Amino acid sequence: MTSGEHASLTYTSYLALDDLLAAQHPRSEEHDELLFIVIHQVYELWFKQMLHELAHLQARLEAGDTAHAIRTLRRVLTILKVVVAQIDVLETMTPSQFTSFRTRLDAASGFQSAQFRELEAVLGRRDPGMVAHYPEDSPARERIAAAMARPSLYDSFLTFLSVHGYDVNGDRRKLLLGVYTDDGGPATVAEHLVDLDEGVQEWRYRHVKMVERTIGDKAGTGGSSGAKYLRGTLFQPLFPDLWAVRADL
């Protein structure tokens, strides 16, 4: 690459800002619709980054790399805190402000976020119904199905424990009790996974309360059941083994 080609790279071109800032297309003249679009686009960017980090995390776990696994988990946890905090911004929009443009959303719904479904699959959800809303042979359906076919994050954690000399083929509760009793790097990784589990549950809770305060028990856009569906996702841990072992500690 010549020096001239280096010089042509700018902040705007490197970040593709012309494309990024032109990607908001409100369907009404309502002031608050732009906020709604920006918030959800930012969510999708964070979901993309989390998927990127979790793929790296699984590779580090499967290699038995404690230090880098912990660092990556800390980054994911920090991103998740930002994702949850964005709900505070969305909640500055009143129900009437949302209603003013809600009908313009037609069938569009956050329920359709393929990246969030892929994220759920990486975190361990194995529900064939997750792909049912995506057309056959669509890239979204293929990504979600591929994520469900690969080892989950918890599977990678068990591989990590195996690399560190733990017998993962026996009783899981006894295995984790041994990890916590040893109180070394694997125990720190386990606690960060619990933090991740708790953070996802916090996100789900904040999300459902935001929906309830905005549209109550109305049906969601795109034909979803809205808050009723979201309430059904609450208090379902990603890593139940890591919660169950606490009774033995």
Side-chain angles (χ1 to χ4, degrees):
M1 182 177 288
T2 67
S3 59
E5 289 173 317
H6 276 298
S8 67
L9 183 67
T10 66
Y11 178 81
T12 297
S13 62
Y14 178 66
L15 297 179
L17 290 182
D18 290 339
D19 293 332
L20 181 66
L21 298 178
Q24 295 75 46
H25 304 288
R27 295 167 60 88
S28 75
E29 298 299 320
E30 297 297 333
H31 172 78
D32 296 282
E33 189 177 359
L34 180 62
L35 173 67
F36 186 82
I37 292 171
V38 168
I39 286 285
H40 286 82
Q41 288 181 337
V42 172
Y43 274 140
E44 291 296 329
L45 288 172
W46 282 129
F47 292 160
K48 180 176 183 176
Q49 187 64 36
M50 288 178 71
L51 286 166
H52 180 67
E53 298 295 344
L54 289 171
H56 180 67
L57 172 60
Q58 287 190 269
R60 293 301 86 219
L61 287 172
E62 290 169 13
D65 186 345
T66 304
H68 287 91
I70 290 172
R71 290 175 191 170
T72 307
L73 270 164
R74 286 174 177 165
R75 178 176 291 178
V76 172
L77 291 169
T78 303
I79 292 171
L80 189 54
K81 287 181 183 296
V82 174
V83 169
V84 173
Q86 284 185 185
I87 294 176
D88 292 337
V89 182
L90 199 54
E91 286 184 339
T92 64
M93 186 169 55
T94 67
S96 60
Q97 287 170 331
F98 178 56
T99 301
S100 69
F101 64 85
R102 185 178 186 237
T103 57
R104 303 297 184 94
L105 302 180
D106 295 334
S109 168
F111 186 77
Q112 299 162 345
S113 171
Q115 285 199 120
F116 188 72
R117 295 294 175 221
E118 185 180 355
L119 188 59
E120 287 185 304
V122 171
L123 294 174
R125 186 176 176 187
R126 294 293 180 267
D127 178 4
M130 288 203 298
V131 301
H133 299 279
Y134 303 93
E136 294 278 356
D137 300 322
S138 67
R141 185 171 185 140
E142 290 175 2
R143 285 199 310 272
I144 298 165
M148 287 195 292
R150 294 193 301 268
S152 70
L153 177 57
Y154 193 71
D155 293 329
S156 297
F157 173 61
L158 292 176
T159 299
F160 169 80
L161 294 182
S162 178
V163 171
H164 282 268
Y166 292 94
D167 179 8
V168 300
N169 296 314
D171 181 83
R172 291 282 174 81
R173 197 149 161 169
K174 183 178 179 180
L175 160 68
L176 293 172
L177 181 59
V179 169
Y180 276 100
T181 300
D182 292 341
D183 198 23
T188 301
V189 172
E191 278 301 275
H192 278 52
L193 289 174
V194 172
D195 290 336
L196 176 59
D197 198 334
E198 190 172 354
V200 172
Q201 291 186 60
E202 181 185 6
W203 149 256
R204 291 189 184 282
Y205 175 77
R206 288 296 310 278
H207 189 198
V208 71
K209 298 312 291 185
M210 180 270 293
V211 171
E212 286 177 344
R213 71 182 289 170
T214 305
I215 65 170
D217 279 328
K218 294 177 185 175
T221 53
S224 70
S225 58
K228 180 180 179 182
Y229 165 78
L230 294 172
R231 281 195 293 268
T233 68
L234 297 178
F235 310 116
Q236 296 182 14
L238 302 170
F239 316 123
D241 292 347
L242 290 174
W243 294 97
V245 73
R246 275 150 172 72
D248 301 328
L249 297 177

